[in-house]
Amino acid sequence: MIKPSFPESGQIHVFYTRADQISDPCLLKQYRACLCPAEIQKADRYLKQSDRHLSLVSRALVRYLIAEVTRQDPQFLCFSTNEHGKPFLVGFPEIHFNLSHSHGAAVCALCPNAAVGVDVEDMGRHTDLSIAKRFFSSYETALVSKASGAEKRKLFFDIWTLKEAYIKAVGKGLSIPLNSFSFNANETEIRITFSDSGRADPSWQFSQWRPEPCKIIAAAVHSASPIVFKHFWCVPFVGIAPNLDHRVSSP
């Protein structure tokens, strides 16, 4: 078990936590104590206890990671949002982060000097895969429609998470139509192609990670230089472990 460090130039660190497996009362008290009033109010507004818990752990994850790499008190970190609602860290313009959570899991990506986007999804959740016709490009829709069984579901979530990560990295929300760009999700090297030009943009770089069965994570960054994506398991205020070590257990 180690402490997180700031990513080196040319790296993105992606941290995954299973919020639904964190139940230690002392840890949860520590999480709540480090959040600002607005974050506590947001978490408390959820009707389901599981959603309140996920919101609490997710925000604590962000504060823990950034506090460790900046050597700041997590309670005093200040966040704001851009005009489209994307959060950023006030006072540390070189630190870019993004957060996603879904069905008991949360993921946070940290990157120096380049906007980053991340998405996590539970592939086991009930999903009407026919919505690909509404949100995917014609190329992506054809890929999904030609597949069958488990491969169809895998392709759908491969594309969905990549789209979400890209949109979040750009930071303009759904003002960018999801069908205005395509991914070659069934190939080894992930590329994005834009419908208006028909061209790929190699400066957009992507990574996908399956930390455990039925969970998939995508990360996106815009960089002219090659990027190395590093993946970690994390329990906020306990520590992290590289993906090689599989996970960190909460006390």
Side-chain angles (χ1 to χ4, degrees):
M1 189 165 28
I2 59 176
K3 296 294 184 182
S5 59
F6 191 60
E8 298 176 5
S9 178
Q11 291 185 355
I12 291 178
H13 290 183
V14 181
F15 301 90
Y16 174 77
T17 190
R18 281 295 300 268
D20 56 0
Q21 295 180 1
I22 299 175
S23 59
D24 180 79
C26 292
L27 266 184
L28 297 178
K29 184 177 180 180
Q30 189 174 7
Y31 293 172
R32 195 170 179 90
C34 80
L35 268 55
C36 71
E39 290 170 322
I40 293 173
Q41 291 170 10
K42 181 178 179 180
D44 289 347
R45 279 198 299 267
Y46 287 103
L47 296 179
K48 295 173 62 177
Q49 194 280 332
S50 58
D51 292 335
R52 294 194 297 271
H53 181 80
L54 180 57
S55 181
L56 171 70
V57 176
S58 299
R59 294 307 310 174
L61 172 67
V62 172
R63 287 184 174 271
Y64 166 68
L65 293 172
I66 294 178
E68 286 291 332
V69 301
T70 60
R71 301 294 187 263
Q72 302 293 308
D73 188 318
Q75 186 177 0
F76 299 123
L77 293 172
C78 183
F79 298 91
S80 188
T81 57
N82 70 10
E83 64 214 78
H84 300 283
K86 183 177 181 178
F88 64 88
L89 181 64
V90 176
F92 295 87
E94 75 281 9
I95 298 178
H96 294 263
F97 75 94
N98 199 231
L99 172 70
S100 177
H101 52 77
S102 176
H103 291 74
V107 61
C108 180
L110 293 182
C111 179
N113 300 313
V116 62
V118 70
D119 186 52
V120 60
E121 297 291 343
D122 187 325
M123 296 174 60
R125 66 181 173 88
H126 175 72
T127 306
D128 181 1
L129 302 187
S130 68
I131 65 171
K133 297 176 183 178
R134 179 181 174 188
F135 295 109
F136 289 6
S137 69
S138 57
Y139 170 77
E140 293 165 331
T141 302
L143 280 181
V144 174
S145 64
K146 289 176 184 176
S148 59
E151 180 61 20
K152 189 184 195 75
R153 177 167 287 268
K154 175 186 175 298
L155 263 177
F156 175 89
F157 280 102
D158 279 351
I159 295 169
W160 185 268
T161 52
L162 287 167
K163 283 182 173 291
E164 286 284 334
Y166 168 73
I167 288 287
K168 294 176 73 179
V170 173
K172 294 184 178 179
L174 292 178
S175 63
I176 303 173
L178 288 173
N179 61 3
S180 66
F181 55 94
S182 300
F183 287 99
N184 61 328
N186 61 343
E187 298 180 20
T188 303
E189 183 180 349
I190 302 171
R191 297 192 310 274
I192 186 171
T193 302
F194 298 97
S195 302
D196 56 354
S197 66
R199 296 179 179 178
D201 186 347
S203 60
W204 276 103
Q205 299 177 56
F206 303 90
S207 171
Q208 288 189 302
W209 175 33
R210 288 174 171 79
E212 55 185 326
C214 288
K215 301 291 187 185
I216 179 171
I217 294 167
V221 66
H222 191 255
S223 174
S225 303
I227 295 292
V228 175
F229 294 83
K230 293 192 171 184
H231 304 120
F232 302 86
W233 283 74
C234 178
V235 174
F237 295 92
V238 174
I240 67 169
N243 184 46
L244 180 66
D245 298 330
H246 191 59
R247 70 178 67 193
V248 179
S249 298
S250 61

